[in-house]
Amino acid sequence: MKLPRKNRLRASALGALAVSGALLLTACGSDNNTGGTGGTGTNTAAKNVKCEGAKGKILAAGSSAQKNAMDLWVKNYMAACQGIEVNYKSSSSGEGISNFTKGVVSFAGSDSALKPEEVAASKTACKTGQGIDLPMVGGPIAIGYNLPEVKDLVLDASSIAKIFNSQIKKWNDPAIAKLNPNAKLPDKPIQSVHRSGDSGTTQNLGKYLGKAAPNDWKYEAEKKWPAPGGQGANGSAGVAAQVKQVEGAIGYFELSYATSQSIPTVKVDTGASAPVAANSENASKAIAAAKIKGTGKDLALELDYATKAEGAYPLVLVTYEIVCDSGNNPETLPTLKSFLGYTASDDGQKALSGIGYAPIPAEINAKVRETIAGLK
């Protein structure tokens, strides 16, 4: 497909690659159901998708933390709305926002809300409006590790901070041993792995460590990795792959990357009666306490990273879909509203729990749906 601008061509091509598996699966389904019901007959997760007015293709890019959710949503949506394409390039929150403010994509995925300067930059692409944050995907940031001899590893905010800050360098360090009195911790070096590019997941980890271990993590919560040492990897998939391959490694990524690759994850000692595992249910308990801090149509959330509530997993993130509140491209607006309407629907949100994510709390999600319906 030839597009008039070089950057648009690149975004389209890379976006297609990012979801090629979903596109191919859907295309095969379409070929086999040309005279049927649009693929909804056997796809109960997408049977209530509203396709009216949607047409053509929309491009999107950003957060790799929501990649597995987006892949599922794209597959379900395209099965229900034949002839329509949604291409989501999984890269990083920073790249997604950059593409959005340049007008390359219809929406961006970001694990952190827009900064004031990013809102200002979005006004060029949004014409008559500005970028806003729509919370769409919740879930735990898992701390995955590779120690074949150790099961049910427990860490707290302080030890996590010191590991990623290169202050704890061996797995049998006294601080880790104190939290795991019955474990046979090996005398092996720790290889920490972090995101190499700008990442909202990195920023959320920084927010958690800054709130829960302020004496051990002195860095500002930014998308760029701030601490010395460790090894960088591209995206959540890259971090997970490194942890999977290297014995003694530890890294952070969205939970579905751990479950899909059978990577064990750390239980976090929050000060509650028992360490808390990284799972959808425990993340939901933390996210349910979130408050909307955005103004107007912006629905950015404030999370309590230092929670000690029983069973609440504190290391969570919320991924936002960044859209224009007004001034959207009229050619793609109907498809944008149709697709995001599905992701925010009961069906779309219910699908998250089965793949390691946490649905957005119902009260907040009701406002997300109302805002999507009013996009113009």
Side-chain angles (χ1 to χ4, degrees):
M1 184 180 201
K2 295 184 179 180
L3 295 174
R5 294 189 301 170
K6 182 178 180 181
N7 62 348
R8 188 176 297 275
L9 177 60
R10 179 177 177 271
S12 177
L14 291 175
L17 286 173
V19 293
S20 58
L23 295 179
L24 287 171
L25 284 171
T26 306
C28 292
S30 298
D31 289 342
N32 292 330
N33 293 282
T34 54
T37 60
T40 60
T42 58
N43 191 346
T44 57
K47 66 181 179 181
N48 295 319
V49 175
K50 297 179 180 179
C51 306
E52 293 83 357
K55 60 182 179 179
K57 176 194 294 186
I58 58 172
L59 303 177
S63 164
S64 64
Q66 71 168 357
K67 178 186 183 299
N68 294 327
M70 194 59 68
D71 283 352
L72 177 63
W73 281 335
V74 166
K75 177 184 176 182
N76 287 351
Y77 179 79
M78 290 174 56
C81 302
Q82 290 191 15
I84 300 172
E85 292 186 12
V86 178
N87 286 347
Y88 181 80
K89 177 194 172 187
S90 169
S91 53
S92 68
S93 298
E95 185 172 332
I97 291 174
S98 176
N99 284 334
F100 176 74
T101 57
K102 293 175 182 176
V104 175
V105 294
S106 295
F107 71 91
S110 175
D111 303 323
S112 295
L114 291 168
K115 295 180 178 180
E117 60 268 27
E118 292 170 336
V119 174
S122 73
K123 293 180 179 180
T124 300
C126 295
K127 310 299 182 186
T128 60
Q130 65 182 40
I132 57 173
D133 303 284
L134 300 179
M136 196 69 70
V137 181
I141 299 174
I143 305 294
Y145 65 97
N146 185 339
L147 288 177
E149 55 271 82
V150 179
K151 296 181 179 180
D152 297 324
L153 181 69
V154 175
L155 297 175
D156 58 9
S158 176
S159 57
I160 294 171
K162 289 178 179 179
I163 286 172
F164 283 107
N165 198 23
S166 299
Q167 292 177 305
I168 292 179
K169 299 182 179 181
K170 287 274 188 95
W171 279 110
N172 61 350
D173 187 276
I176 301 178
K178 184 178 180 179
L179 293 163
N180 299 271
N182 298 320
K184 295 182 179 179
L185 297 168
D187 183 18
K188 292 180 180 178
I190 296 174
Q191 174 61 64
S192 65
V193 187
H194 57 262
R195 294 281 293 272
S196 57
D198 285 359
S199 163
T201 309
T202 294
Q203 189 171 39
N204 279 276
L205 175 66
K207 289 178 181 178
Y208 162 70
L209 294 175
K211 293 289 186 181
N215 294 328
D216 302 305
W217 193 260
K218 302 291 187 180
Y219 307 101
E220 292 294 325
E222 299 292 345
K223 292 185 176 73
K224 186 176 180 61
W225 181 254
Q231 180 177 341
N234 185 33
S236 292
V239 175
Q242 283 293 102
V243 173
K244 179 74 172 180
Q245 294 168 9
V246 179
E247 189 169 327
I250 187 170
Y252 59 94
F253 32 78
E254 181 274 323
L255 180 61
S256 67
Y257 289 91
T259 55
S260 65
Q261 299 190 49
S262 300
I263 299 173
T265 60
V266 166
K267 291 182 178 179
V268 177
D269 184 340
T270 65
S273 62
V276 186
N279 60 44
S280 297
E281 180 181 357
N282 294 341
S284 292
K285 293 177 181 178
I287 295 172
K291 298 179 180 179
I292 295 175
K293 67 176 181 179
T295 58
K297 295 181 180 180
D298 189 272
L299 300 177
L301 302 180
E302 183 176 357
L303 300 168
D304 181 7
Y305 294 98
T307 182
K308 296 182 180 180
E310 294 295 329
Y313 184 80
L315 185 44
V316 295
L317 62 76
V318 169
T319 298
Y320 301 94
E321 311 313 333
I322 310 296
V323 299
C324 296
D325 58 358
S326 67
N328 288 280
N329 184 336
E331 293 295 318
T332 56
L333 179 59
T335 307
L336 174 68
K337 294 172 70 172
S338 173
F339 177 69
L340 293 183
Y342 162 61
T343 66
S345 69
D346 286 339
D347 286 345
Q349 289 293 301
K350 286 177 182 177
L352 294 178
S353 296
I355 54 173
Y357 295 95
I360 299 299
E363 183 178 351
I364 296 171
N365 196 43
K367 296 180 179 180
V368 173
R369 295 180 194 175
E370 180 181 352
T371 303
I372 292 171
L375 296 178
K376 54 188 178 180

